[in-house]
Amino acid sequence: MLTRGEILAWLRERDEARLQELWRRADAVRRERVGDEVHLRGLVEISNHCARACAYCGIRAGRSGLPRYRMGPEEILGCAAAAARLGFGTLVLQSGEDPALTAAWVADLVRAVKAATPLAVTLSLGERDETDLALWRAAGADRYLLRFETSDRSLFDRIHPAPPGRRSDRLAQLRTLAALGYEVGSGVMVGIPGQSLASLADDILLFRDLDLDMIGVGPYLAHPETPLGRPAGGGAPAFPDAGGDQAPSDELTACKVVALARLACPRANIPSTTALATINRADGREHGLLRGANVVMPNLTPPAYRARDEIYPDKACRDEDVETCAERLRCRLAAIGRRAGSGRGDARAPERLRAGPGAERCRCP
Ligand code: SAH
């Protein structure tokens, strides 16, 4: 098992030959534990309305000049049909924190998708009450994604202000989701100003402690229309960096976190993220897949909405139609000796559940 010291040493490693060893180990664990299939999850960004003012995010509340949209159920069902037609196993419904997506509306939508397609449904709708999460689970939602963004609590509070009178507790929500029987995904951005490599090592240990089913990590990409991404003027910066230990927001560091996440959580489904593909359009996607990742999330949001859903600028694949994008993706997978997964691509059961009676920490009856 990787120690914190070893994780930190890898995060600081610059030697190409040594890094090849990290990539080789992560790829071997990926092959042995989750195989060569790359699960495709169709992502639909169903609303870019958001009540929160996250300092990093391009769809934050209060950003002026951004046209807002909210898709209707019929449009979303059209995207679900496209996902099924393209052979994807999962539909991911993502949005800003949008109170107009009421609990009942989302539950009806989940039921409709499940009735019309064989797809697994993943929700990524931000921080919500336990009653909403329970309702959606009962309606058939399979998985939930909620990144904790950073395990450094004071950095999190700076970049992710809580709504008035409430404390944002993403770790509590992740535990609630697991108790409700969701497959649970979380993750972080890599290279947030103020994020140290030491705290990134803690993030990876937290992935392991949470025993995550899915882990999404990508480089932080500065958005010029946000407080965190705005070029600093004169005076003291509002978001100082972490000095000599600042985590770089580059492809290499993001790949290291993907690889270390694979070593820390061998059974997890780990996407090679759009942010990684955006920072290196030529082969960022492939680098992720060759360094521990086993999932890709092609964007199925209708093109008319896509430019408006800019959580960060210049997202990869933004201007392609879904058929072209899916076709090209399959070719790219074949070129690196991988193939698109069939079926839903559910997470493997945790070791403790698979090991059977008598095993340590066994929860079986
Ligand atoms: N409102 C939902 C979905 C957010 S979008 C939620 O908060 O969970 C999904 C992820 O995109 C976020 O969790 C964050 O990690 C990432 N993201 C947002 N802004 C980003 C940026 N500027 N650069 C890189 N990743 C970003």
Side-chain angles (χ1 to χ4, degrees):
M1 211 189 253
L2 283 172
T3 64
R4 185 173 188 277
E6 287 166 336
I7 292 173
L8 200 46
W10 279 123
L11 291 173
R12 297 201 168 121
E13 184 63 63
R14 288 159 188 247
D15 182 84
E16 275 288 334
R18 295 266 306 138
L19 285 169
Q20 289 304 326
E21 175 60 16
L22 176 62
W23 311 145
R24 195 197 57 71
R25 278 170 58 186
D27 197 44
V29 171
R30 187 272 308 155
R31 184 175 310 115
E32 185 190 317
R33 297 300 294 273
V34 294
D36 281 338
E37 289 196 327
V38 175
H39 302 298
L40 305 183
R41 327 284 206 201
L43 175 69
V44 186
E45 294 150 327
I46 63 174
S47 161
N48 72 349
H49 289 265
C50 193
R52 306 295 293 271
C54 303
Y56 47 88
C57 184
I59 63 164
R60 64 198 302 273
R63 179 181 163 197
S64 55
L66 177 74
R68 304 279 176 170
Y69 71 88
R70 190 176 291 120
M71 289 173 68
E74 290 307 320
E75 270 179 310
I76 299 168
L77 284 169
C79 296
R85 189 177 69 240
L86 293 166
F88 301 171
T90 300
L91 187 72
V92 182
L93 303 176
Q94 191 165 69
S95 71
E97 246 166 74
D98 180 0
L101 302 183
T102 64
W105 186 92
V106 174
D108 285 346
L109 177 66
V110 170
R111 266 190 294 270
V113 173
K114 301 294 286 193
T117 72
L119 300 169
V121 171
T122 302
L123 300 177
S124 180
L125 309 177
E127 295 167 30
R128 300 285 299 223
D129 291 340
E130 181 168 354
T131 44
D132 298 1
L133 302 173
L135 188 71
W136 301 339
R137 178 80 188 120
D142 301 279
R143 311 180 187 135
Y144 203 99
L145 301 175
L146 184 75
R147 293 187 180 180
F148 59 76
E149 314 294 2
T150 169
S151 59
D152 176 339
R153 183 73 219 194
S154 76
L155 176 60
F156 181 81
D157 288 339
R158 278 205 302 283
I159 64 169
H160 193 94
R166 245 181 57 199
R167 189 169 189 266
S168 208
D169 193 344
R170 292 196 158 203
L171 299 185
Q173 180 166 333
L174 293 171
R175 281 188 286 270
T176 299
L177 288 162
L180 289 169
Y182 282 92
E183 279 184 34
V184 179
S186 192
V188 297
M189 289 178 286
V190 174
I192 307 164
Q195 182 185 44
S196 64
L197 288 173
S199 83
L200 209 42
D202 291 332
D203 297 347
I204 293 162
L205 292 174
L206 187 51
F207 296 160
R208 184 160 72 201
D209 286 350
L210 292 168
D211 196 10
L212 295 172
D213 300 301
M214 303 170 284
I215 301 168
V217 296
Y220 161 70
L221 299 165
H223 192 305
E225 297 296 321
T226 61
L228 196 59
R230 207 166 283 143
F239 299 97
D241 74 13
D245 201 36
Q246 170 65 42
S249 59
D250 59 8
E251 187 199 3
L252 179 65
T253 314
C255 280
K256 288 178 179 179
V257 179
V258 168
L260 293 164
R262 171 60 65 203
L263 297 180
C265 304
R267 70 175 184 88
N269 283 324
I270 301 180
S272 184
T273 53
T274 304
L276 195 55
T278 299
I279 204 168
N280 173 0
R281 284 172 185 270
D283 44 20
R285 188 78 87 195
E286 283 81 355
H287 283 167
L289 290 170
L290 293 168
R291 295 168 178 180
N294 70 320
V295 168
V296 172
M297 298 166 69
N299 198 331
L300 294 183
T301 311
Y305 299 128
R306 276 206 238 167
R308 304 199 219 159
D309 195 47
E310 287 199 313
I311 52 177
Y312 45 78
D314 233 9
K315 264 188 172 186
C317 239
R318 200 179 66 182
D319 302 319
E320 286 167 11
D321 71 84
V322 291
E323 269 79 14
T324 313
C325 200
E327 194 50 42
R328 180 156 340 141
L329 181 58
R330 284 175 199 276
C331 293
R332 289 175 74 160
L333 294 180
I336 56 167
R338 304 278 279 281
R339 59 180 186 281
S342 54
R344 304 178 0 145
D346 290 317
R348 310 283 160 116
E351 212 64 75
R352 61 176 186 277
L353 296 181
R354 243 185 315 147
E360 234 186 316
R361 297 171 66 207
C362 180
R363 283 199 211 143
C364 310

